[in-house]
């Protein structure tokens, strides 16, 4: 297991390095585009441009430029925005990270629990109307534009029904966990549900098909032969092995979530997370902020994938030897 | 089959956008109509009414009239939302399908080459795919869009203007390549060991012939199964990028930009944001169902996205 973990950690580091190089190339080495003008923002003065060129070493070889970028980002952590003159970028990102993590983990918890319930129910009642129902929920989930769903939720809870049914829904925004669990969860409730709706169906569908397939496996027949009750067979024997596919799917979706659905959800619900920060900096082309957000977000995605790999190997020992 | 019919209706409606604009709505979908008026029930009503709330700044666009003119109301520049949605649908559909085709072709080539030749080629291509795979799709698309969309791009003799919809097509097409290339690579690798391919190798068939006659016909169904699914994903991605203002650029519209236009009007004129989202969702659902249907028809054993 340790050997496996070491190998995966090394691979994760390599991937991180490759991503940083790719981002660097996109931002600083796209042919025909002056990176200094990009970083300085729209209509920057000559003076700012010179400052940017010196700070990022655009007159020096390309690997020095890469080194300088990484130094600004991760070592000195003194990357500054030129659009919002002089504001430090990294503290902004650091402040935003807990918001994004609160959103993502809360939503993930909800959709995994929902998917487990739906998946187990569908397996127990296979061949009934629940099966096609879950299929439909899954398809609708992957087809809904998340930003649109969020806006509709806002429309209903903040405007149309705010005076009656949803009077208890607080204003949009984020309240830190230190202000109490209640307000924190209440502010995040609808963003969580919006995200969970997208994924619960598809997870339930995957879980159901895995569980139904496992019903024909020897270990399930063995469990039944021992006289174990159907519920226990479902949960202790079938569900446990079927969780493996959910775990690997979660690893994939986490990345998509941080950079995609969660970003959009933050924008729609006004949560000041990494996604909202990226969005705000997109609006005024504040490149240093975008750069920092993208690299820090990728870092979390690679880290999450690493953890998922370990979890996977722990659940399914065969993986360790591949 | 039902989903195919719905999809065709949506596509036809979007193709007919100019017809709708000129002969039904009688409004211009791309120029502001701030001072315009229309006649409803014999009364002349301004398209944009000065707002009476708050400081009296800003305007209140006309609500959906549910008649030919301004069927879904107007946006805050006095443009007919219904015709803009039809025009926007064109962009969303074109970008969705074109990038899906681009993605599947690229992924097909990479997957086949990597799976067939193996060794060094495979190592290089696979590592490249791994990196793209680990890179969150939207973040990659954001990086590319930010750099490319703010100014025109010149590569050799080709100049792409920043407003060209080719840019989102290429960007979205590229970011999803690993999702298709990986399964294809795996399939080609296992095909390569099958008896009929080995028999062809034994008969002295050159690589090109093996690829063309033995491998390609067997992976083509997989690629075709991916097409509608990728088209759905790509459309949602396009809309999301446009919503973030780094996809289709104004004054052009797409379903994403119209939802974005509607955000500011959400509590007063919700239909501007709701209508394009509904169309987008319906289109994506039909494409997903179509993809499932195509898969059942072509490749009953495949298990994409873990479907039963």
């Amino acid at each position: 297991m340790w050997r496996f973990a070491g190998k995966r950690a090394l691979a994760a580091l390599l991937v991180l390095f490759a991503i940083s190089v790719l981002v660097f190339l996109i931002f600083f080495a796209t042919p025909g585009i002056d990176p200094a003008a990009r970083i300085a923002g729209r209509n920057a003065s000559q003076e700012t441009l010179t400052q940017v060129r010196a700070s990022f070493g655009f007159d020096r070889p390309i690997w020095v430029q890469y080194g300088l970028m990484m130094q600004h980002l991760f070592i000195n952590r003194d990357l500054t925005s030129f659009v919002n003159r002089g504001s430090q970028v990294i503290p902004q990102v650091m402040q935003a990270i807990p918001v994004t993590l609160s959103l993502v983990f809360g939503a993930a918890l909800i959709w995994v629990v929902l998917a487990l319930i739906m998946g187990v129910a569908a397996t127990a009642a296979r061949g009934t109307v629940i099966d096609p129902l879950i299929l439909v929920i899954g398809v609708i989930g992957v087809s809904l534009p998340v930003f649109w769903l969020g806006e509709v939720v806002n429309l209903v809870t903040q405007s149309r029904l705010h005076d009656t049914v949803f009077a208890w829904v607080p204003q949009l925004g984020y309240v830190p966990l230190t202000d109490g669990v209640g307000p924190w969860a209440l502010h995040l409730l609808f963003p969580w549900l919006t995200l969970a709706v997208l994924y619960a169906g598809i997870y339930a569908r995957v879980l159901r098909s895995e569980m139904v397939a496992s019903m024909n496996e020897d270990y399930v027949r063995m469990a039944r032969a021992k006289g174990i009750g159907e519920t226990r067979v479902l949960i202790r024997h079938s569900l446990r092995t079927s969780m493996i596919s959910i775990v690997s799917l979660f690893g994939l979706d986490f990345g998509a979530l941080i950079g995609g659905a969660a970003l959009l959800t933050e924008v729609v619900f006004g949560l000041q997370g990494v996604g909202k920060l990226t969005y705000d900096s997109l609006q005024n082309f504040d490149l240093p902020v975008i750069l920092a957000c993208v690299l820090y977000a990728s870092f979390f995605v690679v880290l999450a994938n690493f953890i998922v790999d370990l979890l996977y190997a722990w659940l399914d020992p065969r993986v360790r030897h591949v | 089959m039902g989903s195919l019919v719905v999809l065709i209706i949506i596509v036809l409606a979007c193709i007919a956008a100019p017809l709708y604009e000129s002969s039904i709505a009688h409004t211009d979908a791309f120029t502001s109509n701030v001072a315009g008026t229309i006649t409803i029930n014999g009364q002349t009503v301004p398209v944009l009414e000065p707002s009476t709330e708050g400081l009296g700044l800003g305007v209140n666009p006309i609500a959906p009239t549910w008649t030919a003119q301004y069927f879904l109301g107007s946006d805050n520049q006095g443009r007919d939302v219904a015709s803009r949605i039809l025009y926007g649908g064109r962009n969303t559909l074109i970008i969705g399908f074109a990038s899906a085709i681009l993605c599947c072709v690229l992924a097909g080539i990479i997957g086949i080459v990597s799976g067939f030749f193996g060794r060094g080629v495979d190592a290089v291509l696979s590592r490249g795919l791994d990196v793209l795979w680990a890179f969150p799709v939207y973040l990659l698309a954001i990086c590319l869009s930010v750099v490319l969309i703010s100014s025109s791009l010149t590569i050799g003799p080709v100049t792409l203007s920043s407003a060209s919809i080719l840019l989102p097509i290429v960007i979205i097409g590229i970011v999803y390549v690993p999702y298709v290339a990986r399964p294809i690579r795996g399939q080609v690798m296992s095909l390569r060991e099958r008896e009929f391919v080995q028999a062809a190798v034994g008969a002295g068939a050159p690589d090109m012939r093996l690829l063309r006659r033995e491998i390609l016909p067997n992976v083509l169904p997989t690629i075709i199964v991916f097409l509608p699914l990728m088209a759905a994903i790509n459309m949602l991605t396009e809309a999301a990028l446009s919503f973030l203002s780094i996809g289709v650029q104004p004054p052009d519209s797409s379903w994403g930009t119209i939802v974005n236009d509607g955000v500011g009007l959400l509590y007063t004129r919700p239909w501007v944001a709701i209508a394009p989202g509904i169309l987008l969702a319906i289109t994506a659902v039909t494409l997903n169902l179509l993809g499932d249907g195509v898969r059942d028809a072509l490749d009953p054993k495949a298990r994409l996205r873990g479907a039963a």
Side-chain angles (χ1 to χ4, degrees):
Chain A
M1 188 71 195
W2 285 112
R3 227 177 101 84
F4 176 81
K7 265 162 91 176
R8 295 307 309 169
L10 198 66
L13 282 178
L14 275 177
V15 167
L16 269 181
F17 172 70
I19 287 181
S20 69
V21 170
L22 189 61
V23 172
F24 168 76
L25 289 177
I26 292 174
F27 276 97
F28 294 91
T30 307
I33 288 169
D34 176 16
R38 247 338 112 63
I39 288 182
R42 282 176 178 147
N43 312 322
S45 67
Q46 205 56 45
E47 187 186 335
T48 320
L49 283 178
T50 328
Q51 200 186 334
V52 172
R53 287 209 177 89
S55 143
F56 285 89
F58 286 136
D59 47 354
R60 292 156 78 183
I62 197 156
W63 56 86
V64 179
Q65 294 180 24
Y66 174 78
L68 279 173
M69 179 189 89
M70 297 313 278
Q71 192 185 19
H72 282 308
L73 270 169
F74 293 107
I75 299 169
N76 297 348
R77 295 148 64 103
D78 61 350
L79 191 69
T80 50
S81 159
F82 291 93
V83 177
N84 292 322
R85 192 155 286 275
S87 73
Q88 292 273 322
V89 173
I90 308 297
Q92 289 183 47
V93 178
M94 285 301 164
Q95 230 173 4
I97 286 174
V99 184
T100 302
L101 292 182
S102 305
L103 174 67
V104 169
F105 282 114
L109 188 69
I110 294 178
W111 92 59
V112 167
V113 169
L114 278 179
L116 284 180
I117 295 170
M118 289 202 296
V120 173
T123 315
R126 55 188 176 279
T128 65
V129 72
I130 296 184
D131 270 350
L133 194 70
I134 282 190
L135 191 89
V136 169
I137 296 176
V139 168
I140 292 179
V142 291
S143 304
L144 283 180
V146 57
F147 51 97
W148 174 80
L149 183 63
E151 296 291 1
V152 172
V153 168
N154 273 345
L155 178 67
V156 173
T157 59
Q158 296 287 334
S159 169
R160 290 300 183 263
L161 296 177
H162 189 63
D163 295 331
T164 52
V165 189
F166 291 111
W168 49 274
V169 179
Q171 277 204 319
L172 297 183
Y174 175 76
V175 173
L177 195 51
T178 45
D179 287 10
V181 178
W184 172 78
L186 199 60
H187 277 85
L188 282 167
L189 182 64
F190 279 99
W192 281 342
L193 290 176
T194 305
L195 272 180
V197 165
L198 299 183
Y199 291 92
I202 199 78
Y203 274 62
R205 202 172 148 187
V206 173
L207 189 64
R208 179 205 166 270
S209 72
E210 286 288 323
M211 285 181 73
V212 168
S214 77
M215 283 302 179
N216 297 321
E217 296 281 344
D218 291 341
Y219 57 84
V220 171
R221 226 177 309 156
M222 173 73 188
R224 284 221 181 92
K226 284 195 293 188
I228 296 173
E230 185 65 23
T231 318
R232 203 176 152 88
V233 168
L234 263 183
I235 294 183
R236 288 292 289 274
H237 297 263
S238 174
L239 179 63
R240 175 140 182 223
T241 45
S242 307
M243 285 292 285
I244 293 172
S245 61
I246 293 279
V247 169
S248 66
L249 196 61
F250 185 75
L252 291 179
D253 281 336
F254 189 83
L257 200 61
I258 289 268
L263 188 155
L264 294 162
T265 310
E266 284 173 16
V267 170
V268 170
F269 288 101
L271 304 168
Q272 277 299 336
V274 182
K276 181 73 162 53
L277 194 60
T278 315
Y279 173 77
D280 291 342
S281 45
L282 277 176
Q283 302 307 305
N284 47 17
F285 273 96
D286 196 347
L287 240 69
V289 184
I290 302 177
L291 191 69
C293 286
V294 167
L295 280 179
Y296 273 81
S298 322
F299 172 75
F300 273 98
V301 171
V302 173
L303 187 71
N305 280 331
F306 171 65
I307 294 171
V308 164
D309 275 347
L310 292 189
L311 206 58
Y312 197 93
W314 177 66
L315 280 172
D316 186 356
R318 285 170 301 179
V319 178
R320 288 177 221 164
H321 305 293
V322 174
Chain B
M1 268 333 275
S3 57
L4 189 61
V5 173
V6 174
L7 186 65
I8 290 174
I9 292 173
I10 292 176
V11 171
L12 286 181
C14 293
I15 291 174
L19 202 66
Y20 177 85
E21 184 191 19
S22 61
S23 23
I24 300 177
H26 300 291
T27 48
D28 192 330
F30 295 101
T31 48
S32 314
N33 186 17
V34 179
T37 55
I38 58 164
T39 312
I40 302 171
N41 300 333
Q43 287 177 315
T44 306
V45 188
V47 173
L48 293 185
E49 235 176 305
S51 175
T52 47
E53 288 166 39
L55 297 169
L57 299 171
V59 283
N60 241 344
I62 193 163
T65 59
W66 309 117
T67 59
Q69 266 190 316
Y70 290 103
F71 179 74
L72 289 170
S74 92
D75 62 13
N76 55 12
Q77 295 187 37
R79 300 174 296 197
D80 187 314
V81 171
S83 13
R84 278 184 72 75
I85 285 176
L86 291 184
Y87 273 108
R90 290 177 143 198
N91 278 334
T92 299
L93 290 167
I94 290 173
I95 293 171
F97 282 111
S99 60
I101 292 169
L102 177 73
C103 173
C104 287
V105 169
L106 278 179
I109 294 172
I110 292 176
I112 289 173
V113 167
S114 167
F116 186 81
F117 293 105
R119 303 194 182 184
V121 185
D122 180 40
V124 172
L125 288 175
S126 295
R127 291 297 88 74
L129 290 182
D130 280 349
V131 172
L132 272 189
W133 178 275
F135 203 157
V137 168
Y138 282 69
L139 292 183
L140 182 57
I142 285 172
C143 288
L144 290 170
S145 310
V146 161
V147 172
L148 297 180
I149 271 172
S150 51
S151 70
S152 56
L153 178 71
T154 311
I155 305 170
V158 191
T159 304
L160 281 178
S161 96
S162 55
S164 163
I165 64 163
L166 273 175
L167 279 178
I169 291 176
V170 172
I171 291 169
I172 297 170
I174 288 175
V175 294
Y176 282 110
V177 161
Y179 289 73
V180 186
R182 278 189 157 194
I184 290 175
R185 168 178 169 269
Q187 202 185 354
V188 172
M189 283 171 83
S190 77
L191 277 172
R192 192 136 176 39
E193 303 304 320
R194 297 272 292 275
E195 284 91 347
F196 67 93
V197 178
Q198 292 300 324
V201 172
D207 282 351
M208 274 320 285
R209 188 184 163 83
L210 282 178
L211 284 173
R212 201 160 44 87
R213 298 293 295 272
E214 315 290 346
I215 305 282
L216 194 59
N218 281 295
V219 285
L220 215 50
T222 313
I223 299 180
I224 292 172
V225 165
F226 267 112
L227 259 178
L229 300 177
M230 293 318 290
I233 294 176
N234 290 355
M235 261 176 225
L236 292 171
T237 311
E238 181 279 323
L241 290 179
S242 295
F243 176 75
L244 298 173
S245 71
I246 45 174
V248 172
Q249 297 296 305
D252 270 352
S253 64
S254 90
W255 286 337
T257 65
I258 300 170
V259 175
N260 195 17
D261 291 343
V263 169
L265 302 168
L266 189 65
Y267 299 146
T268 47
R269 298 287 179 257
W271 277 103
V272 182
I274 291 179
I278 292 177
L279 276 172
L280 191 57
I282 291 175
T283 313
V285 167
T286 58
L287 281 169
N288 275 314
L289 291 178
L290 202 64
D292 287 355
V294 172
R295 183 195 56 227
D296 292 346
L298 287 181
D299 197 2
K301 278 179 292 182
R303 302 208 318 159
L304 297 173
R305 297 185 312 181

